[in-house]
Amino acid sequence: MITNQKLFLYWNFVLPKKEWLIALFMLVFSVNLMSAQGKEISGIVTSTQDKLPLPGVNVTIKGTKTGTTTGFDGQYSIKASPNDVLVFSFIGYQNKEVPVGNQSKVDIALGEDSNKLNEVVVIGYGTQKKGDLTGSISVVNMEDAKKTITYDPAKMLQGQVAGVTVQSSGEPGGFVNIKIRGINSFTNNNPLFVIDGMIVDSPYDFAPGDIESMQVLKDASSAAIYGVRGANGVIIITTKKGKLGKLDIKYKSLVGFQNVAKEWSLTDRVGYQTITNEAERNRDIRQGVPINIAPGNNPTSPYYINNVDTNWQDEAFQTGLIQNHSLTFNGGAESLGYNMNVDYFQNTSYLNSPQDYERLSMNLNLYGKKGKFKYGSKLGYTQSDKENFNSWSGASAIADLLGAIPTMPVYDANRLGGYGGTDVLTQKAISMNVIGFNNLITNNGKRNRFIGDIWGELEIVKGLKYKLDASFDRVDWQNRKYVPESDLGWYYTTKADKATLDVSTGHESRTFLNNLLTYEIAIGKHKIDALAGWIQERTDHYNHFSQGVGYKYGSISQLEYATVGVSTKEYNRTITGISYLSRLNYSFDDRYFVTGNFRQDKTSLFAAENNTGNFYSFSGAWKISSEKFIKLPEWFNTIKLRGGYGELGNNTIAPYAYTTTINKFAGYDFNNELAPGTTVVSAVDPNVSWENTSTTNVALELGFFNNDLQFTGEYYEKKSTGLLIGVPLPYSTGAFPASVVTNAGAVKNTGLEFTTTYNNRHHEFKYNISANLGTLKNEVTQIGINGNPIYGAASKTEVGRSIGEIFAWETNGIFQDAADLASSPTQSNAGIGDQKFKDVNGDGAITDADRTYQGVTIPKYSYGFNFSAEYKNFDFSMFWQGAGGHKVFNAMYRNLMIGDFGNHHTDMLNYWSPTNTDTNVPRPIIGDPNGNARDSNRFIEDGDYLKLQTMQIGYTIPLKENKFIQKANVYVNGQNLLILSKYKGYDPDFNSNDGLISRGYDAGSFPNPRTISLGVEIQF
């Protein structure tokens, strides 16, 4: 080291005077050189939220290209001078700048970025900063969504996004219905799902816990890039990817218990016999014959049943078990990062039967980079096993359970199979023993699914990239249903020669080849990124059906042991398609944004002259707050106006539906001679084509308090034309069915959507509040050729009204006496004590013409509210969700109020009689000749509800520093805890048959169970 004293001696005694200036110059140069080289700065970067190291954080010297990244342990090392400023940046966290000064060790804790406008979101075939979006794309808060315990990612969206409605049931492994901005088709309204860039029909084969992010593309300006598949909206799911660093292991385990939170109020043995006996008396009196009461209900009969009083709900409902365990391995280097997840899910039924759902899934994501070449792949495998519920003639198991009479025992050793039933002479009741029926029948569905995706992306020149992506998705299934010989009482007896085994096996594979070219460039304040692509796809489907008939009780349930016979058939189809797509994004000075999309689709689903569809969209945004002439208060950060228009398609139609099918072996008898001939089997429209949906929307986005408080309000109009619908044909055509599917329907959906969030993470007590509200008005603008209405279950759909509106009679009291009966409009088969109905058209008679619209079945509004908080090691969250403004036809209540041989609701005990005239419940009578139980407002209820969907309390266990466990959290979760509703059924949030025409019709839906679970998460 050179000291001041040595320097003085050197200058004055060693160097000649003429070289003094040269030496001084060299000294100054060397000092500056040492300063420029800098000193070693090191440290560790952690997260302020959980104090854990952050790998992959970018550490750069401000104003230069010099930088490094943190390692797996969050540590870094960089050379810097005292005058330099270190910049720490990481996606999802706030950037931090630190002057070097005299420091040699700089430890940094990064806080989460509460400004969600800087968040990078996944869009169709790319990504974009949220603040730059021009389309209607909702980003799901996965931290809140994952608190919904489910096997299906679609269920996690319920109440989380404005304009998205979700319906499901408590059936293990049951299907989830999801709609985005209303109903815009008479065939299929479920959205398209895209998982890690792969198009899938539904996501229930994928583990929700492995999801990193979900985005909902709600309008054409965002979904037009998916063309013919985007009409119903698009949900993009991204699973977790590998992160730079050492191996990170996470284990999650959850075990919960489920039960039915509410039961119907049904009659016991005494109540049942009282009502049914009265119904038989009223029948016999009306017919003028001697009263003949069922012996099992007659106290004077030796066959009177007074030792059986089955409460079928108590016997059937049990505590179901739900469990979910997952193990995740994550890590890697820049050349190859990996994330592997193994997930096991099981849900046993709350119904006393073997019906349950079990799934094992594995997912592996690989990602790497070598110079200008990026590459990755995805491998997934799922094996699932579902025991299905069984129904007789389409009735649900719940409907049969509630209608089961209390004088039928659950078990009866004297009957074949060991389960109880009814007797035609003793009880006269056709009553299904649901417990026995579902335990005797084997109805199993197995699925194996493999998905594989491999891609590579090369940066040809700066900003220009080419990506080749190939994916393969294959599902193999086997369904077996065995109905053995058994005796479940009158009507439900299966003889050996009718015992059947149905076996269905098949597979479907889908292949995609994506060729994508992207270009990004920034010139001053101008930014442009463009996309062009060419996509090929092919779907192959095969199904084989076999049926064996004739099995003695206890026989081996294999096809070769069928005694009556075996029949088989098979089905094969192939669908191909090719698409061309393009997109252009342009922005100027972070103020003006424009996006344009175009996609052309060709498919084999339609005839050659109709197999091409062109779909497009354009949208724009204006960040008013970025204008220099706008002077906002310091607390007012963002004003953004956006809007767009686009057209999308829907190709939900059966293959070869444009081709007429004929039978060339159809002969006819002319004068006792067979003349050969040909007949039409099914008539089709050869010009059938895509359904088309256009959307227009405009939105205002606001941000306050450093964008901690954000608000979005949006209006949309969605018009769908050319909808596929069955148009009736004259019977003379010889076609069966006597209708042709053609593009002859149209609907319109309009609505408002509001979303607001407030994120406060600046104090020790951190909390987040979010709420959303969506309104919806649906209107049919065309049906068929002549506009003839379509009738459904207690519904009518016609032009100018909403799809599936309830259409029924209106009640007008009870006939009290003969004078009342005589002075009222003519009502066929009516008697004293029967239900009166209103003569709406005033023609003096009660006919079909007196039915009126009683309310819409599509909720006029739906909403959700999330609150989550953290304090020290504790966390708490709750989620409320609801809907309203619509009606529900409670067909299950109607069935329990008929007053026949089936079981009854306790309301029926207040039936009209000469001694009980102050009631609105008509008399019970076998056969219901007056139609007291016809579709009427007696059974129409408000569908409004507010539900405490989830509540969770967690605790992060404080751990001493160790080599094994980095973090451990335990929590208690409750789901479906509270329902505020006047609905008489189990749950107004039921998964209806959703036949689109027959909507809001509850004929015995599976109730959503209450779930209490305990979970643990450990990070090693």
Side-chain angles (χ1 to χ4, degrees), residues 44 75 80 94 108 158 166 173 215 231 268 300 445 505 546 555 578-579 596 684 921 1002:
I44 184 172
Q75 295 188 10
Q94 295 175 337
I108 290 298
Q158 187 169 30
V166 178
Q215 286 81 31
D268 58 7
T300 64
T505 60
S546 297
S555 297
I578 187 170
S579 303
V684 300
V921 180
D1002 188 359

Side-chain angles (χ1 to χ4, degrees), residues 43-207:
I44 184 172
V45 181
T46 58
S47 167
T48 58
Q49 184 179 15
D50 53 21
K51 315 302 182 189
L52 295 176
L54 289 175
V57 176
N58 293 315
V59 185
T60 59
I61 297 176
K62 188 175 182 179
T64 73
K65 295 183 178 180
T66 304
T68 185
T69 57
T70 59
F72 65 87
D73 51 4
Q75 295 188 10
Y76 71 95
S77 177
I78 191 172
K79 286 185 177 182
S81 68
N83 296 326
D84 288 335
V85 176
L86 298 181
V87 179
F88 299 84
S89 61
F90 193 55
I91 294 177
Y93 290 81
Q94 295 175 337
N95 292 352
K96 205 161 192 177
E97 297 183 2
V98 180
V100 174
N102 296 323
Q103 302 177 90
S104 60
K105 185 173 179 60
V106 180
D107 293 336
I108 290 298
L110 295 183
E112 289 184 346
D113 187 0
S114 60
N115 185 1
K116 294 298 184 182
L117 298 180
N118 293 325
E119 181 181 355
V120 176
V121 300
V122 180
I123 60 176
Y125 303 100
T127 60
Q128 197 171 7
K129 195 164 75 170
K130 185 179 179 182
D132 297 345
L133 295 175
T134 58
S136 182
I137 300 178
S138 294
V139 180
V140 181
N141 186 325
M142 293 308 301
E143 188 175 344
D144 292 332
K146 285 186 177 181
K147 290 169 184 174
T148 297
I149 301 168
T150 178
Y151 55 90
D152 192 334
K155 174 68 174 177
M156 298 163 60
L157 289 169
Q158 187 169 30
Q160 299 288 348
V161 178
V164 177
T165 57
V166 178
Q167 292 176 318
S168 63
S169 73
E171 179 184 357
F175 187 71
V176 175
N177 280 314
I178 180 169
K179 305 287 180 292
I180 298 177
R181 290 183 170 177
I183 296 174
N184 46 269
S185 175
F186 292 116
T187 55
N188 174 41
N189 285 275
N190 286 309
L192 174 71
F193 287 88
V194 179
I195 301 180
D196 291 333
M198 300 177 60
I199 292 176
V200 299
D201 291 327
S202 55
Y204 54 79
D205 283 321
F206 301 89

Side-chain angles (χ1 to χ4, degrees), residues 78 94 132 158 267 294 322 333 358 371 375 381 440 442 491 636 680 785 836 844 954 971 978 1017:
I78 191 172
Q94 295 175 337
D132 297 345
Q158 187 169 30
T267 54
I322 186 170
E358 187 175 26
Y375 44 88
Y381 176 76
L440 288 171
T442 301
Y491 194 78
F636 199 158
V680 175
I785 306 301
K836 290 197 293 184
Y971 61 90
L978 176 66
E1017 298 182 7

Side-chain angles (χ1 to χ4, degrees), residues 228-268:
V228 74
R229 286 182 168 86
N232 299 328
V234 181
I235 297 173
I236 298 178
I237 297 176
T238 304
T239 59
K240 295 177 181 178
K241 304 296 187 294
K243 294 181 180 179
L244 182 68
K246 67 175 182 179
L247 174 62
D248 180 36
I249 303 175
K250 293 182 180 178
Y251 173 69
K252 296 182 180 180
S253 179
L254 176 142
V255 177
F257 302 94
Q258 295 183 323
N259 60 19
V260 177
K262 176 184 177 182
E263 291 190 357
W264 282 81
S265 180
L266 305 178
T267 54
D268 58 7

Side-chain angles (χ1 to χ4, degrees), residues 335-347:
S335 60
L336 186 64
Y338 58 88
N339 185 90
M340 186 176 75
N341 176 264
V342 180
D343 187 278
Y344 173 76
F345 183 92
Q346 184 188 35
N347 188 188

